[in-house]
Amino acid sequence: ILVFAILFKLWQAVFYFAAGKRIDSTALKASGIDSRNDLISTSLVLIGLLISNYSGYNIDGYVGIIVSILIIVSGISLIKETSSPLLGEAPSDELVKNIRAIANSYEGVYGTHDLMVHNYGPGKIFASIHVEVDADTDILTSHDLVDNIEKAIHEKLNIFITAHMDPVKANDPYRNKVLLALNSKLGDLEGAYNIHDLRTVPGPTHTNVIFDIVIDNECLLTEEEILDWATKIVRGIDPACYVVINFDKSYV
């Protein structure tokens, strides 16, 4: 009976692991671990029974300790694996890269930002992304563009995504000069990256340069330090400028 149980649990573990990997199901993978633990514990029981029967030495206590340690270690591992998606975790780098690659592959897209991904299990991944398009392009054309991006990401990655249009003045020489200057020095800021939604608001005495910048949780710079850095660069181009920055947190 024990041998039959071992063989059945072996088949069960292989089946659960294969199915869990195929559809990326944490629940099936957990069931596979449970079946594997049953396989090991039953095997140890059988080994202990044979040793006790033929040697007369009772090792049930030692076998029980080994099985207990195995169950405790597996239980802690399962808690970590299953609690992270429930509490919220960052998407994989590969998924983020694939989403951005598809969106940026379309002609007329100048850049993407503010990507957010919510994972509720296989086939239930929802996301949103901002797509920069030319402000001078007809709005119906831009809307058709982001519709195609949403459809492509859903078909290729099985993700339900909402793309938001961000119009930019792509042919504004002043804006492009400021953006180029900021991006060329962006590597000086550790933990800050991706300047986007840059726009300029000219006035009779000065020009406001407004943009968003993404900072991660490990960024050691204060918002005031980043503002001073940007102001120095922008005023090197035009002394009559004020810089306004919206700080975004990275969620990927």
Side-chain angles (χ1 to χ4, degrees), residues 13-85:
V14 172
F15 172 79
Y16 281 139
F17 280 128
K21 183 178 180 180
R22 189 180 305 118
I23 66 172
D24 193 24
S25 171
T26 303
L28 284 178
K29 292 176 183 177
S31 296
I33 293 174
D34 181 58
S35 296
R36 183 199 63 190
N37 291 346
D38 288 342
L39 167 66
I40 296 174
S41 60
T42 306
S43 299
L44 289 174
V45 169
L46 178 59
I47 293 171
L49 176 64
L50 294 174
I51 292 176
S52 299
N53 186 54
Y54 290 104
S55 69
Y57 187 72
N58 193 338
I59 64 168
D60 284 353
Y62 299 106
V63 171
I65 291 174
I66 295 174
V67 172
S68 299
I69 293 174
L70 173 68
I71 292 174
I72 291 171
V73 172
S74 297
I76 293 174
S77 176
L78 286 175
I79 289 173
K80 290 181 178 179
E81 291 180 9
T82 56
S83 63
S84 292

Side-chain angles (χ1 to χ4, degrees), residues 185-195 213-222 226 229 247-248 250:
K185 299 291 185 179
L186 190 56
D188 298 340
L189 299 180
E190 186 175 355
Y193 54 93
N194 193 346
I195 294 174
I213 187 170
V214 179
I215 56 175
D216 60 33
N217 295 324
E218 285 74 35
C219 183
L220 300 179
L221 298 172
T222 65
I226 296 175
W229 166 86
F247 293 91
D248 291 343
S250 174

Side-chain angles (χ1 to χ4, degrees), residues 108-195:
V109 173
Y110 292 104
T112 58
H113 56 269
D114 288 350
L115 172 62
M116 298 182 68
V117 181
H118 306 275
N119 190 345
Y120 299 103
K124 296 181 180 178
I125 301 177
F126 301 87
S128 61
I129 190 171
H130 287 221
V131 179
E132 294 179 355
V133 297
D134 193 339
D136 296 327
T137 301
D138 181 77
I139 190 171
L140 294 178
T141 302
S142 296
H143 186 271
D144 182 71
L145 172 65
V146 297
D147 273 351
N148 290 333
I149 291 172
E150 291 173 345
K151 183 179 180 182
I153 292 175
H154 177 64
E155 290 178 348
K156 296 178 181 178
L157 303 178
N158 197 24
I159 293 175
F160 299 92
I161 190 167
T162 300
H164 172 79
M165 289 187 300
D166 272 354
V168 297
K169 283 288 185 179
N171 297 320
D172 183 351
Y174 183 85
R175 172 195 173 276
N176 292 340
K177 185 177 182 180
V178 171
L179 182 59
L180 180 62
L182 289 169
N183 279 328
S184 66
K185 299 291 185 179
L186 190 56
D188 298 340
L189 299 180
E190 186 175 355
Y193 54 93
N194 193 346
I195 294 174

